């Protein structure tokens, strides 16, 4: 497979057969990724549509849905890159989550229960999810308690794409014998893209306008 991929790459003519660093901005705007730090409020689809209009693009897609009230890393595909966006949707994700429990059960009990969720877990997508509601397996790679104060727990989770963290919070609460509610969620990583690689929609708009009027330098760093 590696040999055939190399053969395809080396024999392709035109801008898409050249390394991204050698492509023009116009070429990158036809096939690239922009990593947005999504704010609370808009849906992932609305973010992609806003970026499409702001950057005067023909099409955009997004690499993994975030609920409107969830913030953090949202890779947005441009043009031809939308054809491979499914790879990003299925890639490993990392989140920081604030979990509110019905009662304080102590850190030792929390750590015991958290350890039970590392590995393959069963989930059924919630009613509001735009996918078929059927039992499926998702894998939790890491689950780490960062802070614990009374019935509030801050934790980090690294998981397979398509894992529902709200469901995870509810299941943790259920095993603990109490209610578990996802109070706040931030996606800190999606595939190879991290929170520090991202920028807001307002920053994206400003960078595009600056490029149109004067400078290429900043926008070149943001088009991946």
């Amino acid at each position: 497979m590696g040999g055939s991929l190399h053969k395809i790459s080396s024999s392709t003519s035109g801008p898409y057969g050249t390394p991204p660093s050698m492509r023009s901005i116009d070429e990158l705007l036809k096939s690239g990724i922009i990593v947005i730090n999504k704010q609370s409020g808009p849906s992932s689809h609305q973010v992609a549509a806003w970026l499409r209009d702001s950057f005067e693009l023909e099409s955009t897609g997004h690499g993994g849905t975030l609920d409107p009230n969830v913030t953090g890393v949202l890779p947005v595909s441009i043009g031809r890159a939308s054809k491979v966006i499914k790879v990003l949707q299925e890639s490993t994700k990392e989140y920081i989550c604030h979990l509110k429990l019905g009662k304080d059960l102590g850190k030792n009990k929390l750590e015991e229960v958290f350890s039970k969720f590392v590995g393959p877990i069963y989930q059924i997508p919630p009613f509001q999810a735009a996918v078929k509601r059927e039992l499926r397996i998702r894998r939790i790679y890491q689950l780490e308690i960062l802070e614990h104060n009374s019935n509030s727990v801050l934790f980090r989770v690294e998981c397979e794409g398509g894992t529902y963290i709200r469901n995870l919070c509810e299941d943790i609460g259920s095993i603990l014998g109490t209610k578990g509610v996802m109070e706040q969620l931030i996606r800190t990583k999606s595939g190879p893209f991290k929170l520090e690689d991202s920028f807001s929609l307002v920053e994206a708009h400003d960078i595009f306008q600056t490029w149109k009027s004067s400078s290429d330098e900043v926008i070149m760093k943001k088009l991946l």
Side-chain angles (χ1 to χ4, degrees):
M1 178 181 284
S4 62
L5 283 175
H6 175 74
K7 184 175 180 181
I8 291 171
S9 175
S10 61
S11 63
T12 302
S13 59
Y16 306 107
T18 60
S21 60
M22 295 176 63
R23 298 176 196 170
S24 69
I25 292 173
D26 286 329
E27 289 164 351
L28 290 171
L29 286 171
K30 294 176 182 176
S31 181
I33 298 288
I34 298 175
V35 186
I36 293 297
N37 183 355
K38 179 188 167 301
Q39 65 191 64
S40 179
S43 67
S44 297
H45 177 75
Q46 287 172 325
V47 170
W50 190 94
L51 194 68
R52 178 197 64 211
D53 296 341
S54 180
F55 273 51
E56 301 170 13
L57 303 169
E58 291 185 5
S59 63
T60 54
H62 60 80
T65 301
L66 290 176
D67 287 350
N69 62 331
V70 176
T71 64
V73 178
L74 182 68
V76 177
S77 63
I78 302 170
R80 296 188 183 190
S82 298
K83 295 179 179 180
V84 294
I85 198 64
K86 188 172 177 62
V87 175
L88 282 177
Q89 292 170 346
E90 296 175 350
S91 64
T92 299
K93 307 293 192 294
E94 181 187 77
Y95 300 90
I96 300 295
C97 180
H98 175 206
L99 164 65
K100 195 73 172 287
L101 296 169
K103 56 185 176 180
D104 183 7
L105 293 157
K107 190 170 182 180
N108 289 340
K109 182 63 175 177
L110 285 175
E111 289 179 340
E112 177 189 339
V113 170
F114 268 57
S115 67
K116 297 180 185 296
F117 284 88
V118 178
I121 63 170
Y122 291 99
Q123 286 196 327
I124 297 177
F127 286 104
Q128 62 268 35
V131 295
K132 187 176 181 180
R133 296 193 74 245
E134 58 184 8
L135 187 67
R136 56 185 186 171
I137 297 174
R138 288 295 181 266
R139 184 170 291 275
I140 304 294
Y141 302 113
Q142 295 183 37
L143 192 56
E144 174 189 9
I145 297 174
L146 301 176
E147 292 182 23
H148 166 234
N149 182 15
S150 183
N151 62 336
S152 287
V153 183
L154 190 70
F155 68 88
R156 181 184 69 85
V157 55
E158 185 177 339
C159 56
E160 183 179 354
T163 302
Y164 290 94
I165 307 303
R166 190 182 306 277
N167 290 31
L168 176 64
C169 290
E170 293 171 356
D171 290 344
I172 288 172
S174 179
I175 296 297
L176 286 166
T178 187
K179 189 174 183 179
V181 177
M182 186 185 81
E183 288 282 294
Q184 186 176 5
L185 186 66
I186 303 172
R187 184 154 72 191
T188 51
K189 188 176 179 182
S190 177
F193 305 118
K194 301 178 182 179
L195 195 58
E196 51 264 36
D197 301 324
S198 66
F199 55 112
S200 71
L201 284 172
V202 173
E203 289 173 321
H205 177 75
D206 290 346
I207 287 168
F208 182 72
Q209 294 302 317
T210 299
W211 166 65
K212 286 185 68 177
S213 61
S214 58
S215 173
D216 291 355
E217 184 177 346
V218 176
I219 197 170
M220 279 296 289
K221 295 178 181 178
K222 302 298 184 182
L223 292 171
L224 309 176

